[in-house]
Amino acid sequence: MAELETQQGGLAVPDGWTYAPAPESTDIVRIAERYGHYVGGEWLEASEIYETIAPRDESPLATIGQATKADVENAVAAARNAYADGWSSLPGSERAKYLFRIARILQERAREFAVLESLNGGKPIKESRDVDVPLAAAHFFYYAGWADKLEYAFPNRRPRPVGVAGQIIPWNFPLLMLAWKVAPALACGNTVVLKPAETTPLTALLFCDVLRQAELPPGVVNIVTGDGRTGAALVESEGVDKIAFTGSTEVGKAIQRQLAGSGKKLTLELGGKAANIVFDDCALDQAVEGIVNGIYFNQGHVCCAGSRLFVQESIYEPLVEKLKRRLTTLRVGDPLDKNTDVGAINSAMQLEKIKELVASGEEEGAEIYQPPCVLPEKGYWFAPTVFTNVAQSYRIAQEEIFGPVLSVLTFRTPDEAVEKANNTPYGLSAGVWTEKGSRILWMAQRLRAGVVWANTYNRFDPTSPFGGYKESGFGREGGRHGLEPYLRFDD
Ligand code: NAI
Ligand code: MG
């Protein structure tokens, strides 16, 4: 290790060549100056407003409504009307047609959505283009297929829609989280009031245009924008039968307390501190790619990010060296450049949180490595970071950082790996890297995590259920399991 340390800051950086800028044009998207709330198929003027910005340069993009309690009640009433007025009794095969249409329109307008997602959220265009938007369309296609087959999905249980679903989503995958929530709700015959996160409302608002194009009956999907106050009003609304929330554990706990005894259905998808576990028999270069994808994908703003790396001691040094070298090739910068690997941090608030936790790591005694990279002056940026010499008690090994920051720890035996990996209040995901199939299964049975990836990381598919244990929440999204929270079986 001593040798590596002396090399710090001076690791081999490829020089002599560089990428030419390859910016994606923003011409394809038309952003309105001002947006209202989408209620009952109409745009309602917002009484309170705020500005949404581009995190890459802090430039204002549009004026957004901050929905009041009255706005939320309006939207819930519109959803209730649409539910009673035909949507819930429509044959599944008819609901499916709308979902298929939405999926196809998302595909047709994919570039527009990808550009807007990167502009408003800060994620690299290659991710929004290749991951977020195609997966969002895939979710609509997938749940369109279930809409007329619910009785086969749950034989002899008489599945019925729940009613009006209130859905609150975060800023890390704005369109994809919308798809995860809206597609199963509609497939099951529910209507929806959805609130996007305050920093990333624009793709949800563009989605309203897709709903109109698809001629979805008015009021089946309503979108109100605003911050946590709007979210709280939705949770409190008497007219809502089910709440689906993705976001922080703190807010998730508050919602659970608030809804206790109310009879409302609830699913929570909350934080994580996933273990990515690398055994000495793995394909090392492949593992390094998986580690990088696991923590630097979407700037680490990922609930299932592989933020705790557990390396078997015998390969610690070569792995850390390879990892550091790989970091020097990551391109940090303009989210709209097609060569960018790590984009902008989503907000000033999130950047502060990352800085605070990174400072705590240094104070507690961990050793920090960041590759040489020039960060743009304007906007919110954080260099990809690796911490070594991390003890399990450090905050950076325990708390969700939600940024491009990896904590490296070690283990000797599979038992020790399991014990350390499970030593967390969370339980959303984990990764295992080994050549042995039997070891993968042995580990997967013992890891207390909703998803365990083997020799890969951050792979998503609409057919596969996703969700957590412990403080990562409960309920599953995706797959047949993802239908259940939107159904009742009681009569
Ligand atoms: P947050 O939990 O406050 O926000 C998520 C969503 O909940 C947003 O739409 C927000 O407006 C809404 N919300 C906030 N307070 C609410 C309330 N009292 N009632 C109902 N809805 C409410 O998360 P925030 O503040 O954006 O991020 C804080 C930390 O949470 C992050 O640093 C990260 O660690 C974690 N987080 C985890 C996410 C995940 O995917 N599991 C997503 C976003 C954040
Ligand atoms: Mg918050």
Side-chain angles (χ1 to χ4, degrees):
M1 228 12 243
E3 205 188 323
L4 254 185
E5 274 148 27
T6 58
Q7 285 180 4
Q8 275 216 5
L11 282 179
V13 189
D15 57 352
W17 59 274
T18 184
Y19 291 87
E24 178 75 49
S25 165
T26 57
D27 291 351
I28 193 164
V29 195
R30 231 171 317 143
I31 305 175
E33 257 171 52
R34 188 185 171 115
Y35 289 90
H37 307 293
Y38 189 71
V39 174
E42 302 290 334
W43 287 105
L44 297 189
E45 193 64 33
S47 51
E48 291 176 31
I49 51 169
Y50 72 97
E51 203 86 37
T52 189
I53 62 163
R56 64 170 178 165
D57 58 6
E58 298 164 63
S59 61
L61 293 175
T63 300
I64 304 296
Q66 161 72 40
T68 61
K69 218 173 158 45
D71 295 329
V72 170
E73 289 306 336
N74 243 337
V76 171
R80 176 62 56 197
N81 281 341
Y83 181 80
D85 187 25
W87 183 254
S88 59
S89 52
L90 209 61
S93 56
E94 291 302 311
R95 292 197 307 271
K97 287 182 191 168
Y98 290 105
L99 292 169
F100 279 123
R101 247 184 246 167
I102 292 169
R104 281 196 299 267
I105 298 168
L106 280 177
Q107 287 185 319
E108 279 162 20
R109 300 179 66 173
R111 196 152 148 244
E112 197 182 341
F113 273 97
V115 169
L116 191 58
E117 197 74 311
S118 285
L119 201 55
N120 198 198
K123 66 173 64 201
I125 185 78
K126 72 174 178 192
E127 291 180 11
S128 45
R129 180 194 65 198
D130 299 346
V131 182
D132 296 66
V133 178
L135 270 178
H139 269 268
F140 279 100
F141 276 121
Y142 175 75
Y143 281 108
W146 273 125
D148 62 347
K149 301 175 195 72
L150 299 175
E151 267 134 55
Y152 303 95
F154 304 100
N156 304 318
R157 292 184 66 197
R158 290 175 48 80
R160 293 275 176 285
V162 171
V164 175
Q167 307 182 320
I168 299 165
I169 58 173
W171 41 264
N172 50 344
F173 295 92
L175 183 70
L176 184 58
M177 289 304 105
L178 174 151
W180 279 27
K181 301 261 183 293
V182 172
L186 264 46
C188 294
N190 304 277
T191 57
V192 162
V193 178
L194 177 129
K195 189 199 84 65
E198 52 270 39
T199 57
T200 54
L202 290 181
T203 46
L205 294 166
L206 183 62
F207 182 74
C208 300
D209 205 28
V210 172
L211 297 175
R212 282 188 162 186
Q213 246 180 300
E215 294 176 9
L216 188 76
V220 172
V221 173
N222 306 275
I223 295 190
V224 291
T225 54
D227 61 16
R229 291 167 294 170
T230 305
L234 188 54
V235 173
E236 278 161 25
S237 174
E238 296 275 328
V240 168
D241 303 294
K242 185 231 156 26
I243 290 289
F245 173 80
T246 299
S248 63
T249 295
E250 182 196 351
V251 173
K253 283 182 180 173
I255 292 177
Q256 192 176 8
R257 272 194 295 270
Q258 206 177 325
L259 291 190
S262 71
K264 284 183 198 167
K265 277 177 86 114
L266 175 64
T267 43
L268 296 174
E269 203 265 88
L270 310 174
K273 191 74 186 174
N276 204 358
I277 304 164
V278 183
F279 286 94
D280 61 6
D281 64 347
C282 75
L284 207 53
D285 290 320
Q286 195 185 324
V288 169
E289 286 310 302
I291 294 162
V292 167
N293 174 42
I295 185 65
Y296 304 114
F297 174 66
N298 197 20
Q299 297 73 246
H301 300 329
V302 184
C303 46
C304 51
S307 52
R308 290 182 300 153
L309 175 65
F310 288 97
V311 185
Q312 197 155 22
E313 274 188 9
S314 46
I315 54 161
Y316 175 77
E317 289 187 14
L319 186 135
V320 169
E321 196 184 336
K322 274 177 190 283
L323 181 63
K324 287 181 176 176
R325 194 175 307 128
R326 179 66 177 88
L327 248 60
T328 64
T329 65
L330 287 179
R331 299 182 56 81
V332 185
D334 185 3
L336 287 170
D337 191 307
K338 294 181 206 102
N339 291 323
T340 292
D341 298 307
V342 180
I345 299 302
N346 182 264
S347 66
M349 187 193 84
Q350 190 57 32
L351 182 58
E352 271 320 299
K353 176 179 167 182
I354 296 167
K355 285 183 174 166
E356 198 256 322
L357 276 158
V358 165
S360 84
E362 291 191 88
E363 265 162 44
E364 287 190 290
E367 196 174 298
I368 189 169
Y369 172 75
Q370 292 174 326
C373 57
V374 184
L375 301 179
E377 269 170 28
K378 273 185 154 177
Y380 313 129
W381 306 95
F382 202 83
T385 302
V386 173
F387 274 112
T388 49
N389 283 337
V390 180
Q392 286 214 79
S393 59
Y394 292 177
R395 285 182 65 202
I396 54 168
Q398 302 224 325
E399 294 177 30
E400 184 176 53
I401 301 176
F402 227 62
V405 182
L406 179 67
S407 297
V408 186
L409 300 107
T410 60
F411 69 94
R412 290 181 189 176
T413 63
D415 279 317
E416 191 188 341
V418 168
E419 198 191 309
K420 285 181 165 173
N422 287 341
N423 181 16
T424 166
Y426 296 112
L428 195 54
S429 60
V432 179
W433 298 82
T434 170
E435 188 192 55
K436 293 187 186 64
S438 56
R439 181 174 281 164
I440 290 170
L441 297 175
W442 190 91
M443 291 292 291
Q445 281 170 345
R446 287 161 181 79
L447 290 168
R448 299 292 291 161
V451 179
V452 179
W453 284 294
N455 295 326
T456 185
Y457 207 91
N458 272 342
R459 275 186 97 85
F460 298 97
D461 189 293
T463 65
S464 176
F466 182 91
Y469 282 85
K470 303 192 281 186
E471 292 202 4
S472 292
F474 50 79
R476 293 292 178 266
E477 294 180 294
R480 191 178 62 91
H481 299 71
L483 295 165
E484 255 175 283
Y486 291 99
L487 293 169
R488 58 191 168 90
F489 304 95
D490 47 11
D491 55 34

